[in-house]
Amino acid sequence: MRLVIARCSVDYAGRLTAHLPSAPRLILVKADGSVSIHADDRAYKPLNWMSPPCTLKEGDGEQKDVWTVTNKAGEKLIITMEEILHDSSHELGVDPGLIKDGVEAHLQELLADRIETLGEGYTLIRREYMTAIGPVDILCRDAEGQTVAVEIKRRGEIDGVEQLTRYLELLNRDPHLAPVRGVFAAQEIKPQARVLATDRGIGCQVLDYDAMRGIEDDKLRLF
């Protein structure tokens, strides 16, 4: 990972246009090729970013202080450096992945045991299918034999969709698995996450934790 703190301005050119005026910012360049621009007041959320796969070109002709990040769709993130205050690179190695809490771990176990929750004819390949960037929660096949990667969360938010997108990018490079489609499964899926998943061709599945554990709803029923 490369960490750059610089006074810079940022322009995004793609389906929309956006401009960040000059200010001190943190630029993260990760090993997967992603580039994100951060301020000091937005928690973990970047001001702007480019998801992988993308390419970073430092300097353009006479403009030595311009970084251009381009993704496969031709969209560009143009970073104009005015002053670099810090520039360092660090080898983090392969991350072991997030250790899930009890509910997420149990959801994964339950869904693996009841894989038909995703649809009739589904079969399990394995849980915790390892990739170069961490384990996919569940890898399975649908009734037509297509490989399906499932990412499980207790609460489904945009970062979970981004995580599954990265897994799918890697899995679809494997000719023994491709084509691989994704399913984002959670007890609750936020509207923004559902929109992003749909835009990327990822299915969404709401999981009923109690029903999967065989616990009946205690609400009064007519039938």
Side-chain angles (χ1 to χ4, degrees):
M1 178 183 290
R2 184 178 177 187
L3 307 177
V4 178
I5 299 175
R7 178 174 290 279
C8 61
S9 60
V10 184
D11 292 278
Y12 170 78
R15 289 171 292 180
L16 302 172
T17 58
H19 174 71
L20 294 172
S22 175
R25 297 189 176 93
L26 168 65
I27 303 167
L28 296 183
V29 183
K30 294 186 178 180
D32 63 4
S34 64
V35 178
S36 56
I37 317 295
H38 297 261
D40 203 18
D41 62 349
R42 289 168 57 91
Y44 63 90
K45 293 184 178 180
L47 296 165
N48 214 328
W49 68 94
M50 193 69 80
S51 299
C54 56
T55 58
L56 168 61
K57 181 179 180 181
E58 297 184 41
D60 185 9
E62 296 182 356
Q63 295 181 299
K64 301 297 184 182
D65 297 327
V66 175
W67 290 15
T68 303
V69 187
T70 308
N71 67 12
K72 62 180 180 181
E75 299 169 319
K76 293 184 178 182
L77 199 62
I78 301 167
I79 308 169
T80 303
M81 301 290 190
E82 298 173 14
E83 180 184 8
I84 294 179
L85 306 172
H86 174 86
D87 190 345
S88 64
S89 297
H90 308 269
E91 291 290 339
L92 302 185
V94 177
D95 192 89
L98 179 68
I99 298 175
K100 298 179 181 294
D101 65 23
V103 173
E104 278 192 18
H106 199 201
L107 278 170
Q108 183 190 118
E109 181 182 347
L110 288 169
L111 187 57
D113 288 341
R114 298 163 177 79
I115 199 66
E116 67 279 359
T117 301
L118 297 175
E120 186 176 351
Y122 274 70
T123 56
L124 178 69
I125 296 176
R126 66 168 298 170
R127 292 170 53 194
E128 298 287 337
Y129 186 91
M130 185 56 66
T131 73
I133 58 173
V136 177
D137 287 335
I138 289 179
L139 199 67
C140 57
R141 295 192 189 278
D142 63 18
E144 286 72 42
Q146 183 178 1
T147 310
V148 181
V150 185
E151 178 63 25
I152 300 171
K153 300 292 184 186
R154 199 165 45 151
R155 177 180 297 172
E157 301 189 35
I158 284 178
D159 56 350
V161 178
E162 295 284 6
Q163 183 180 359
L164 180 53
T165 299
R166 294 193 291 270
Y167 288 146
L168 291 171
E169 173 69 27
L170 285 177
L171 293 169
N172 274 298
R173 297 177 190 174
D174 187 337
H176 299 292
L177 298 174
V180 184
R181 64 180 179 88
V183 171
F184 189 50
Q187 288 180 278
E188 174 192 0
I189 299 177
K190 296 294 186 180
Q192 299 93 331
R194 187 180 291 275
V195 169
L196 181 61
T198 300
D199 183 66
R200 296 183 176 180
I202 294 172
C204 291
Q205 178 81 35
V206 175
L207 301 176
D208 187 329
Y209 185 45
D210 288 339
M212 292 173 69
R213 290 191 298 163
I215 298 175
E216 292 291 335
D217 191 342
D218 60 2
K219 294 178 182 178
L220 294 176
R221 300 181 180 180
L222 295 176
F223 304 99

